[in-house]
């Protein structure tokens, strides 16, 4: 069994992963607040933890992994969207939940599941767990860690001595440097809301403190406890959630007597062309925007995985173009793959080393190059099968209509050109060493003869086919 090492935000070091129960490895990842389309940054944690889910399923078996990712369907942003649009909150949350699932499926994310089954239960909606939240709040009040005030219930931050350990801050430093909500009913400025009152025109539930709704932080603690138990293995999310959300989750869960999560993992944020993504800069776009512009979901996934999850990910047009070209070559290399392959030990080792997807992709490049550089008929089926299995461990080269159709539906000509670009580039590099350009010149002349434009530069080889190009002609002359 492969040893997995993961970086734990809580301890600030990489550690061997030892699940509490190898027969039921449990992971919780904070999901979206469903009021609008998922922007590109929202896709990064989904893709990152989807790869971790795949790795855990490979090592421990898909029937021995539980992966829960929630939907926050009660929130002030949702309320504001309903008031602005005149639509009901239930319509908005149902629609945007559907959008999210469609867009994440388009980038190759498996749906969370409880031991490979029960997908719906593994994607809990906060509004279905109000009873569990109320019970947890009552318990915190009884233990002296929370207090009711003017229809609210607040958590006493200073009652938990380890508050700030995850983010590495002291309470006093947080008060001095952070914007905290100052309210007259708070005992301390850092105390945070567990429950707040709701007027008649907003969603609300009856509670011992009057009609109201839960605070954001209590939702995940209650749902994780209900679905994963008092202690579980991994809690993940974007690093923007480290404080205050995850810090608050730990405090309230620990004070309720729960062991909570052993390993905390956080992915870095996304940039666009070297700048923070924002509407004011005009570089803000959703996953759906890219899909509708013709960017395949598999390409989005590849670009995301080309950078280690703990480093900032920069989305650029150059990376998109390179990813598409690479994936066309890889799909050509894996076109004859069967279903019996085993992931490469080097790819598996890279992923087991704190999800080093960038290294795993480098290893896949080497395997694909080996396959594509061989003469027709020399390829061994085992190598091709293993290559495909290795890529699938990253959620790439999946043989289905969602992830593969962008290449094979009308894209065969581009795939063949990409393959010959790669082959011609290798031959050209060899010719530069041997000073024998005969084979390069032969192929270049053959391509030009059938109408293909050939461009060679220090950046590589670019082939452009004319409109109406017949790929059979290319196969015949080469």
């Amino acid at each position: 069994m492969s040893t997995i090492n993961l970086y734990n935000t809580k301890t600030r070091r990489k550690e061997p992963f030892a699940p509490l129960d190898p027969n039921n490895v449990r992971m919780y990842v904070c999901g979206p607040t469903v009021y609008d389309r998922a922007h590109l940054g929202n896709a990064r944690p989904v893709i990152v933890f989807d790869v971790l889910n795949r790795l855990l399923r490979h090592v421990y078996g898909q029937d021995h992994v539980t992966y829960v990712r929630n939907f926050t369907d009660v929130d002030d942003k949702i309320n504001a969207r309903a008031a602005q649009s005149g639509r009901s909150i239930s319509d908005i949350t149902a629609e945007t939940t559907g959008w999210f699932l469609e867009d994440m499926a388009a980038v190759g994310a498996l749906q969370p599941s409880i031991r490979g089954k029960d997908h719906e239960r593994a994607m809990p909606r906060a509004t279905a767990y109000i009873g569990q939240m109320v019970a947890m709040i009552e318990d915190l009040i009884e233990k002296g860690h929370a207090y009711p005030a003017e229809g609210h219930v607040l958590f006493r931050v200073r009652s938990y001595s380890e508050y700030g350990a995850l983010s590495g801050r002291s309470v006093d430093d947080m008060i001095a440097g952070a914007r905290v909500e100052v309210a007259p009913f708070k005992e301390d400025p850092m105390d945070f809301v567990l429950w707040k009152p709701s007027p008649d025109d907003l969603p609300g539930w009856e509670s011992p403190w009057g009609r109201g709704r839960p605070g954001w932080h209590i939702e995940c603690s209650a749902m994780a406890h209900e679905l994963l138990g008092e202690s579980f293995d991994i809690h993940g999310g974007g690093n923007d959630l480290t404080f205050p959300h995850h810090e608050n989750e730990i405090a309230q869960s620990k004070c309720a007597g729960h062991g909570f999560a052993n390993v905390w993992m956080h992915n870095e944020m996304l940039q666009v062309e070297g700048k923070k993504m924002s509407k004011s800069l005009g570089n803000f776009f959703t996953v759906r925007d890219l899909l509708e512009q013709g960017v395949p979901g598999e390409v989005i996934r590849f670009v995301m995985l080309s950078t280690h999850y703990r480093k900032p990910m920069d989305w650029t047009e150059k990376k998109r173009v390179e990813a598409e070209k690479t994936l066309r070559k890889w799909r050509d290399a894996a076109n004859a793959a069967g279903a019996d392959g085993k992931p490469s030990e080097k790819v598996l080792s890279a992923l087991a080393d704190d999800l080093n997807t960038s290294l795993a992709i480098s290893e896949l490049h080497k395997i694909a190059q080996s396959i594509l550089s061989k003469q027709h008929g020399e390829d061994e089926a085992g190598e091709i099968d293993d290559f495909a299995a290795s890529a699938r461990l990253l959620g790439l080269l999946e043989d289905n209509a969602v992830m593969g159709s962008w290449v094979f539906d009308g894209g065969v000509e581009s795939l063949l050109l990409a393959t010959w670009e790669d082959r011609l580039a290798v031959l050209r590099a060899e010719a530069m060493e041997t000073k024998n350009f005969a084979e390069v010149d032969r192929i270049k002349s053959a391509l030009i003869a059938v109408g293909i434009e050939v461009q060679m530069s220090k950046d590589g080889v670019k082939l452009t086919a004319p409109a109406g190009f017949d790929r059979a002609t290319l196969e015949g002359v080469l």
Side-chain angles (χ1 to χ4, degrees):
M1 180 178 291
S2 301
T3 299
I4 299 173
N5 292 282
L6 300 173
Y7 183 86
N8 190 347
T9 306
K10 183 171 64 175
T11 61
R12 291 166 182 75
R13 63 175 180 264
K14 199 186 297 184
E15 302 170 336
F17 175 64
L20 295 168
D21 178 5
N23 289 317
N24 187 17
V25 183
R26 288 158 288 167
M27 176 169 67
Y28 187 98
V29 174
C30 288
T33 299
V34 282
Y35 68 98
D36 206 346
R37 285 280 187 187
H39 62 69
L40 188 59
N42 296 143
R44 193 176 193 197
V46 173
I47 292 171
V48 165
F49 291 104
D50 178 66
V51 173
L52 180 54
N53 180 38
R54 289 170 184 266
L55 177 62
L56 294 172
R57 286 159 61 110
H58 175 79
V59 172
Y60 296 99
Q62 72 172 30
D63 295 339
H64 302 295
V65 176
T66 293
Y67 170 27
V68 173
R69 187 186 65 221
N70 72 293
F71 286 104
T72 293
D73 59 350
V74 53
D75 186 87
D76 290 342
K77 291 179 180 178
I78 301 172
N79 299 339
R81 181 56 54 89
Q84 178 187 23
S85 65
R87 299 177 63 198
S88 71
I89 287 173
S90 60
D91 283 349
I92 290 172
T93 57
E95 178 181 62
T96 51
T97 296
W99 286 348
F100 182 86
L101 292 174
E102 289 173 5
D103 292 347
M104 295 310 106
V107 297
L110 301 174
Q111 286 195 356
S113 66
I114 296 175
R115 298 191 174 197
K117 305 172 184 176
D118 207 351
H119 299 287
E120 280 298 315
R121 190 159 173 258
M123 297 185 289
R125 279 65 166 169
T127 52
Y129 291 81
I130 299 296
Q132 289 86 340
M133 296 173 203
V134 169
M136 188 171 178
I137 294 170
E138 287 182 303
D139 183 53
L140 288 169
I141 292 174
E142 184 178 339
K143 291 176 177 176
H145 295 293
Y147 58 95
E150 298 184 20
H152 296 74
V153 179
L154 297 110
F155 182 85
R156 283 192 178 95
V157 166
R158 293 186 189 272
S159 74
Y160 180 57
S161 62
E162 295 182 35
Y163 191 85
L166 182 70
S167 56
R169 314 179 189 190
S170 72
V171 174
D172 291 333
D173 287 343
M174 284 186 258
I175 293 174
R179 290 178 295 178
V180 294
E181 183 183 354
V182 178
F185 49 81
K186 283 188 174 184
E187 293 179 356
D188 187 288
M190 284 302 296
D191 292 349
F192 59 86
V193 171
L194 299 173
W195 188 265
K196 54 188 172 183
S198 285
D200 292 339
D201 61 339
L202 291 179
W205 292 262
E206 293 302 323
S207 78
W209 320 286
R211 185 177 183 275
R213 60 192 191 277
W216 176 34
H217 311 300
I218 195 69
E219 296 175 11
C220 289
S221 286
M223 289 186 284
H225 179 257
E226 179 70 15
L227 294 169
L228 301 178
E230 291 197 354
S231 298
F232 55 96
D233 297 298
I234 300 168
H235 196 314
N239 69 356
D240 58 326
L241 299 180
T242 308
F243 178 83
H245 186 49
H246 289 166
E247 199 76 74
N248 292 350
E249 281 188 59
I250 291 173
Q252 61 204 9
S253 293
K254 290 285 191 177
C255 289
H258 307 162
F260 212 46
N262 280 355
V263 179
W264 287 84
M265 297 178 65
H266 296 91
N267 63 272
E268 256 288 358
M269 296 294 98
L270 175 134
Q271 298 174 322
V272 176
E273 302 289 351
K275 297 179 180 179
K276 181 180 179 181
M277 186 171 70
S278 70
K279 292 181 179 178
S280 62
L281 293 176
N283 64 355
F284 179 93
F285 43 87
T286 66
V287 173
R288 181 54 49 177
D289 290 335
L290 288 178
L291 294 172
E292 291 182 349
Q293 290 167 19
V295 181
E298 188 172 37
V299 170
I300 296 173
R301 186 182 185 92
F302 185 100
V303 175
M304 291 276 189
L305 295 179
S306 64
T307 300
H308 191 276
Y309 79 93
R310 285 194 290 114
K311 294 181 179 179
M313 209 295 292
D314 190 15
W315 175 274
T316 68
E317 177 62 13
K318 181 180 179 181
K319 288 181 180 178
R320 182 201 67 77
V321 172
E322 290 174 347
E324 183 169 331
K325 183 177 178 180
T326 295
L327 284 167
R328 288 188 186 279
K329 294 175 186 174
W330 286 11
R331 282 199 170 273
D332 183 36
N335 193 30
D340 298 328
K342 295 180 180 181
S344 152
E345 283 299 322
K346 290 185 176 180
V347 172
L348 184 58
S349 177
L351 294 181
D353 184 14
D354 194 32
L355 290 188
N356 195 338
T357 55
S358 57
L359 178 58
I361 285 174
S362 295
E363 295 297 337
L364 286 169
H365 274 299
K366 295 175 184 177
I367 301 171
Q369 188 62 49
S370 172
I371 294 171
L372 291 170
S373 65
K374 294 176 181 177
Q375 294 296 324
H376 183 68
E378 290 184 2
D379 294 336
E380 294 186 9
E383 183 180 18
I384 297 174
D385 293 351
D386 291 351
F387 170 64
S390 302
R392 286 196 294 269
L393 198 54
L394 280 81
L396 301 170
L397 305 191
E398 294 280 12
D399 186 19
N400 59 47
V402 174
M403 296 297 282
S405 62
W406 70 276
V407 170
F408 296 110
D409 291 351
V412 178
E413 289 78 10
S414 295
L415 187 152
L416 288 170
L417 289 178
T419 299
W420 280 102
E421 283 174 351
D422 188 60
R423 178 160 174 73
L424 194 52
V426 170
L427 291 172
R428 183 168 176 259
E430 293 175 353
M432 297 287 283
E433 293 290 330
T434 64
K435 307 302 180 184
N436 182 357
F437 289 85
E439 182 66 3
V440 173
D441 291 339
R442 184 192 73 79
I443 294 176
K444 181 178 178 181
S445 297
L447 292 170
I448 293 173
V450 295
I452 293 175
E453 180 183 350
V454 181
Q455 295 176 308
M456 295 184 178
S457 69
K458 63 180 182 180
D459 295 324
V461 177
K462 174 67 176 175
L463 305 182
T464 305
F469 173 72
D470 183 358
R471 63 187 174 91
T473 304
L474 178 62
E475 292 173 325
V477 298
L478 298 174

